[in-house]
Amino acid sequence: MALNGIQIFKLTPKKNCKECGCPTCMAFSMKVAQGAMDISACPHMSQEAIDSLSEATAPPMKTIKVGVGENEYSLGGETVLYRHEKTFVSRTRYAVSVCSCMDDAEADAALEAAKVVDYDRIGERMHVELINVNYAGNGTDKYVELVKKAAACDRTLVLSCTDVEAAKAALEVCKAAKPILNGADASNYAEMNAVATAAGVVLGVRGKDINELYDTVAAIEKLGNKNLVIDTTMPTIKETYAATVQSRRAAIKDGDRTFGYPSIVNLAAVAADDTYIQTALASTFTMKYGSIIVMSAMTYADALPLYGLRQNVFTDPQKPMKVEPGIYQINGADENSLCLTTVDFALTYFVVSGELERSGVPCNLVISDAGGLSVLTAWAAGKLSSTSVSEFIKANVEPKVKCRKLIIPGKVAVLKGDIEAKLPGWEVIVAPREAVDLVKFLKELTA
């Protein structure tokens, strides 16, 4: 069988090959060509064929890993330009920047502020994942001390440093945590490549324009290093946007693997004096191919829209976002507070919980497993029924909550009688059909 002009194995008449799990070797070859199976899954293939085809069947953008342990992140690995074509692979990561030009108090305050944004949303931790440590050329010792402080924040580091000696010294104190050394350019790439290779870390490559960036990446690849990220930050916002988009298109659409690496977009450099513009640009580059986005600072006001956007963009559209089933106590609710129930569809949860918080009434929001569907869809599909609600209440609510008032969604008022029959001692109340009416409803109910 030939694939991409390479003889990989001879076809045999046997069916349902047990070794590779596919009906015929032809079917296996087609799956390999489509990227659906790994070529190493078939024992009939020679090592020579595997080596020859690995490069041809690899994603147009390399997957690069940075950090260690809980702070390890995969960057790149993308195969499409647009989310509707296929789910994106590696989500954008956000970093805040500190600089050796800052005095000690300013740097300490910036690093402490980087720890503040840290919360969970739909089972995902939302926090500042990386810290960009910029070298301003004002002394290696000061830079190393700043790197030590940043490393103590338990975040993956990006060392933005074009000085070879300063980079060496900084890596000595943090290379075990696998930072990114973002400092190779046309003037120093050979030396920086040697430093990054010796330390076993990812090398960031930059250029004064997209042509110089391309040539520098190609030169480093000739030295044998493909553990790279490309810094597409240019002197202006317009040039930065163009470089980021063009490099991704060159890799994925045109198949040019020289640009097939994750990208760093440093908004702290191109929009340093305007944090509002940085937040707006961060949302743009989240959708337009920034693998790491560096900002001057991150507040909850910045994080809430950015992380919500990221979660939407990098979630499989065919798999609805769900919240974990359980009891969510709102407005300081306790075991005597009334209970409301709804489905686990994330959008429904956030709309309902937001209105409950706005009401100021303490209540226990009971979320049962409804397959991540909205109220009416879950009811129509049999995921939200009197049986599912009553069984969840008996198993998870009755042992913990003394109140026996249960408010159900207004759109499934038809379930009221059946739920009451299956939950002796409970009073079932039908809520308004729209979440926006919950505030008035609850205040009148508890008046």
Side-chain angles (χ1 to χ4, degrees), residues 192-208:
M192 278 294 181
N193 179 65
V195 172
T197 302
V201 301
V202 174
L203 179 63
V205 189
R206 59 179 74 177
K208 65 181 181 182

Side-chain angles (χ1 to χ4, degrees), residues 329-330 332-338 362-364 400-403:
Q329 296 178 322
I330 297 176
D334 57 25
E335 61 182 8
N336 297 308
S337 302
L338 58 83
C363 49
N364 295 301
K400 302 174 183 178
V401 179
K402 293 179 180 178
C403 178

